[in-house]
Each structure stands twice: as C-alpha cells, then as structure tokens.
Amino acid sequence: MDQTQREFLIEIEELVEHLFAGLDELRSQAPGKLSPRQLRELIDRIFRNAHSVKGSAAAAGLTPVNQIAHELESVLDGLRTGKIQFDNGLIDTLSAAVDALGESLSNAASGATEPSRTALFERLRTAANTATGQLDAGMQRDSPAFRLKFQSP
C-alpha cells in the first residue's frame, strides 16, 4: 500500500467514525425526539458521510469499501426521501454495513482477504426496496415511528 492509499484510509476511517456517531444519534433520537427538520438534517449528514466514503474508496481503489458504501448510500437515500420505513431493523442493517466498512478498511490496511459480503448486500438491497406502503400488521401508516415525513422549511 502506497502513501496515497494510506492517507485515503485515514480519511475514510474518520468518515466511518462519523457514520457510527450519526447512526448512534439516529438510534437514540429518532423517531419522535427530533423535529422533522432536525431529523432530515441528521439523515442528510449520514448520507453525505456515506457518499464521501464511497468516493474516497473509489479514488483509492478500495473496491470492497466502495461497494459497501454504495449499497449503504442507496438505503440512506431511500430513508431520506421517505421511500423506506424507519425502524430498529433498518438501524441494525445500517449498523451492520458500517461495521463491514470498518472491517474492510482493516482488511485493506493489513492486506487480509476480504470476506464475502453477499448476505450484507442482500440485507441492504432488501431494505432499499422496502416501500413505505409495506407496513407490518398493526402499524399505522402515518405513525412517525414507521414513516418519516419531511417538510420543506
């Protein structure tokens, strides 16, 4: 690994730390504890961090990190546009993706072989394709716990 890649790794590791912090905040604050505007800003910040990880990983040639970040970004985009339901299962899926990003960065730094991420990608793709109209029995469609609605300021 050359110096440029090491610098990218450091930058990406910092972004992944921001992703962890953002998800922790999302888990503890949403839904219901933040205004719709604050919630939207938090999700946008998490999305931007994932997008930056994806771009930096692509620039550094870290394909596995780029692929995970791409799938994560797709789910976050659905969440911020209101196409995806918000629940603890979704947070768990997002957390698993961020864990995998950290692991992939460690693998890249040490030269270790990257494990298969097929199951994670399937979880992320399933989450990205879960429309807000597909609510479990007993959930109310307009409940803020299961559907995020954002209004323009």
Side-chain angles (χ1 to χ4, degrees), residues 1-152:
M1 178 173 294
D2 66 19
Q3 181 63 27
T4 302
Q5 282 184 317
R6 280 193 288 277
E7 289 174 11
F8 271 113
L9 277 176
I10 292 168
E11 177 184 329
I12 296 169
E13 286 172 351
E14 290 173 4
L15 291 167
V16 170
E17 288 176 19
H18 291 299
L19 284 169
F20 275 120
L23 289 178
D24 285 345
E25 185 177 349
L26 186 61
R27 185 184 303 272
S28 67
Q29 296 296 321
K33 294 182 181 177
L34 297 175
S35 71
R37 181 182 177 133
Q38 291 170 318
L39 184 58
R40 175 61 187 251
E41 288 171 356
L42 174 58
I43 293 170
D44 284 345
R45 187 173 68 238
I46 296 167
F47 176 87
R48 284 190 304 274
N49 285 322
H51 183 75
S52 294
V53 168
K54 183 181 79 169
S56 294
L62 301 171
T63 302
V65 175
N66 174 267
Q67 291 170 333
I68 297 166
H70 174 75
E71 296 295 338
L72 174 62
E73 184 184 50
S74 294
V75 176
L76 290 167
D77 186 52
L79 181 60
R80 74 186 188 142
T81 60
K83 294 178 183 176
I84 295 177
Q85 297 176 34
F86 178 87
D87 60 22
N88 286 334
L90 179 64
I91 293 292
D92 291 343
T93 298
L94 296 173
S95 293
V98 176
D99 287 339
L101 285 171
E103 183 181 318
S104 289
L105 288 171
S106 294
N107 290 339
S110 68
T113 302
E114 183 70 17
S116 171
R117 302 288 183 194
T118 303
L120 174 64
F121 289 155
E122 185 60 34
R123 265 178 88 182
L124 289 165
R125 289 177 186 142
T126 298
N129 292 319
T130 301
T132 56
Q134 300 173 335
L135 299 174
D136 292 337
M139 293 182 191
Q140 295 179 7
R141 181 172 303 278
D142 293 327
S143 168
F146 299 102
R147 183 174 179 194
L148 300 177
K149 293 177 105 178
F150 300 104
Q151 300 173 346
S152 299

